Structure formats: structure tokens, C-alpha cells
């Protein structure tokens, strides 16, 4: 079964609005990463948050991590049409320092 | 510098044929990963390399799948006697060193269709 699962599966918003995607996982982790995928091709790394961190920012991105709830959220503020993509969270299992397990992703559509 | 490249970008083959997928990682990256992504699904981890060594082959779906890496650089993923369920996008990624803290840089993928 998936270590990380994103919610919602799909999200459609208007340009300028904020988009929030959630990721839940099952076992303890060392790190959690968020990636973006355009058009079913290669993934692009967005941000990494470590298990001892609660929040990180990068430009218009804000990631939170709640290890007690085994969940993370990705917030994209002031969304743009170019943000349209699938977003995946990737987690390691606590006993693995190399293997990332990806969820099925959230398909975000930002309408102009 | 150049990113991760993969070839071919698309491959159509007949059931039962063998296919070879190639990955050129970023120069200097010691770790290399193969994933498979079926339509509308997440990424399924297949195998990783640290240098030329692949210590964990348990992610490969069956013994028809094999992978090798030579010279700490190029890697090939071979699928023998392809089946229709092998149809997917095969993604390769590399990172500077091995570790879940490392950013993985992905190639554009090879889209495999088995007829």
C-alpha cells in the first residue's frame, strides 16, 4: 500500500486563489518531499521538510508537517495558470534512508 | 549542466519482445533510481543504484525485469518478454549521493506501450 497519499485527488481553482493539498502517511519518516509533474513526464522537486521541522517556505509555497498526525500540507498562494500540474508527496520509511515512496498525487488545475 | 536524459522517449513493442530503456544521469551523481508510473497512478519504486551496485532488487515487479549500471553513469533497464501490463512511463532519477534527504532529479521518462 502507499506510504503517502494525497488529498484531494483533483482540485480546480481560479487564478489568484490559494491551493491546499494534503498528504497522509502511515509509518514514521525522516524526511518528506513534495514534487510537481507536468503532463505526465518528469517530476520536479519543490521542497523538502525534515521530521523535526514543522513549517517551511519557498517563494509562494508553504509546507507544514505534523508528525503526530502523520500528515503534511502544501499551500500554493496566489496561484497561476502555470501551476497547473500534478503534485506528489514522497516519504521515506523511518528505517530507510534512500527509498522514497510517492503517493498518487493531486491534480491541480488553475483556471485563467 | 545537462539534466537527466532518457531514451527512447517513446517505445511501442509487441508482446513477448524484449526492450531496453536507457538513462543518463547528471554527471557526478552517484545515486540513480528507476520508477514506473502507470496511467493516473503514483510512482512505483523499482530499483536504485549506489555507484554500479544495486543492493536491493526487491522492487522489480518480476524476474523479467533487470537493470544494470556501468561506469557509475549510464543505466539500462531491460524488460524481457514484455507483457501488456508492462505498459507505463518509466522514469529515471539521479541524486548527488544516496539518501532520502537528497533531491532527486528526474528525466522526462520513457513511455512504453506493449501491444
Amino acid at each position: 500500500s502507499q506510504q503517502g497519499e494525497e488529498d484531494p485527488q483533483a482540485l480546480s481553482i481560479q487564478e489568484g486563489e490559494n491551493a491546499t493539498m494534503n498528504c497522509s502517511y502511515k509509518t514514521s519518516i525522516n524526511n518528506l518531499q513534495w514534487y510537481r509533474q507536468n503532463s505526465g513526464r518528469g517530476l520536479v522537486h519543490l521542497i523538502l521538510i525534515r521530521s523535526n521541522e514543522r513549517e517551511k517556505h519557498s517563494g509562494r509555497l508553504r509546507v507544514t508537517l505534523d508528525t503526530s498526525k502523520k500528515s503534511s500540507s502544501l499551500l500554493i498562494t496566489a496561484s497561476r495558470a502555470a501551476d497547473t500540474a500534478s503534485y506528489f508527496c514522497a516519504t521515506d520509511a523511518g528505517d530507510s534512508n534512500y527509498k522514497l515512496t510517492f503517493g498518487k498525487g493531486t491534480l491541480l488545475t488553475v483556471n485563467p | 549542466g545537462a539534466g537527466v536524459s532518457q531514451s527512447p522517449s517513446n517505445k511501442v513493442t509487441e508482446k513477448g519482445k524484449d526492450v531496453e530503456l536507457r538513462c543518463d544521469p547528471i554527471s557526478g551523481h552517484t545515486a540513480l533510481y528507476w520508477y514506473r508510473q502507470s496511467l493516473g497512478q503514483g510512482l512505483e519504486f523499482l530499483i536504485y543504484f549506489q555507484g554500479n551496485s544495486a543492493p536491493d532488487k526487491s522492487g522489480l515487479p518480476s524476474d523479467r525485469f533487470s537493470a544494470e549500471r556501468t561506469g557509475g553513469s549510464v543505466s539500462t533497464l531491460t524488460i524481457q518478454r514484455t507483457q501488456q501490463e508492462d505498459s507505463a512511463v518509466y522514469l529515471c532519477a539521479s541524486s548527488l549521493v544516496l539518501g532520502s534527504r537528497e533531491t532527486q532529479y528526474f528525466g522526462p521518462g520513457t513511455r512504453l506501450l506493449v501491444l
Side-chain angles (χ1 to χ4, degrees):
Chain A
S1 61
Q2 299 283 349
Q3 161 72 325
E5 294 191 5
E6 294 86 351
D7 168 62
Q9 292 186 353
L11 179 62
S12 182
I13 60 174
Q14 295 300 121
E15 216 167 18
E17 294 180 340
N18 296 340
T20 299
M21 289 158 274
N22 303 296
C23 169
S24 60
Y25 56 91
K26 296 183 174 63
T27 63
S28 64
I29 61 170
N30 299 308
N31 304 286
L32 184 146
Q33 302 190 35
W34 283 91
Y35 286 79
R36 183 186 72 213
Q37 183 179 38
N38 291 89
S39 305
R41 301 303 268 190
L43 279 72
V44 174
H45 177 262
L46 295 176
I47 197 165
L48 177 149
I49 187 164
R50 300 177 184 178
S51 60
N52 62 353
E53 297 177 312
R54 292 297 167 257
E55 186 171 317
K56 282 190 82 169
H57 297 255
S58 177
R60 293 183 297 112
L61 305 180
R62 173 177 169 253
V63 169
T64 62
L65 179 65
D66 186 334
T67 53
S68 67
K69 295 180 179 178
K70 292 187 171 61
S71 68
S72 173
S73 67
L74 171 67
L75 169 67
I76 304 175
T77 60
S79 64
R80 305 166 182 168
D83 295 329
T84 295
S86 291
Y87 291 82
F88 296 88
C89 69
T91 56
D92 57 6
D95 61 352
S96 168
N97 67 349
Y98 64 89
K99 179 179 175 179
L100 290 181
T101 303
F102 288 76
K104 293 185 179 181
T106 292
L107 175 59
L108 172 66
T109 302
V110 181
N111 301 299
Chain B
V4 177
S5 61
Q6 292 186 246
S7 61
S9 54
N10 293 281
K11 177 71 177 178
V12 180
T13 190
E14 293 179 349
K15 178 182 173 181
K17 295 283 181 67
D18 297 352
V19 295
E20 267 193 8
L21 311 180
R22 177 187 168 107
C23 172
D24 276 277
I26 292 173
S27 178
H29 279 196
T30 62
L32 185 147
Y33 315 81
W34 282 99
Y35 297 88
R36 178 170 73 173
Q37 185 177 32
S38 300
L39 187 63
Q41 299 296 307
L43 275 68
E44 175 188 0
F45 176 83
L46 298 179
I47 194 169
Y48 81 94
F49 287 88
Q50 170 66 12
N52 293 334
S53 173
D56 180 5
K57 296 183 171 62
S58 63
L60 295 176
S62 75
D63 58 8
R64 296 185 294 103
F65 287 71
S66 63
E68 65 174 15
R69 188 180 186 195
T70 55
S73 181
V74 172
S75 176
T76 54
L77 177 69
T78 301
I79 309 173
Q80 295 178 311
R81 305 181 300 283
T82 52
Q83 303 294 312
Q84 290 182 332
E85 61 262 29
D86 298 335
S87 297
V89 177
Y90 289 82
L91 292 162
C92 172
S94 70
S95 61
L96 187 60
V97 295
L98 188 68
S100 66
R101 190 179 296 182
E102 297 296 314
T103 296
Q104 294 189 15
Y105 295 85
F106 282 79
T110 293
R111 195 178 301 273
L112 174 66
L113 178 60
V114 182
L115 300 176

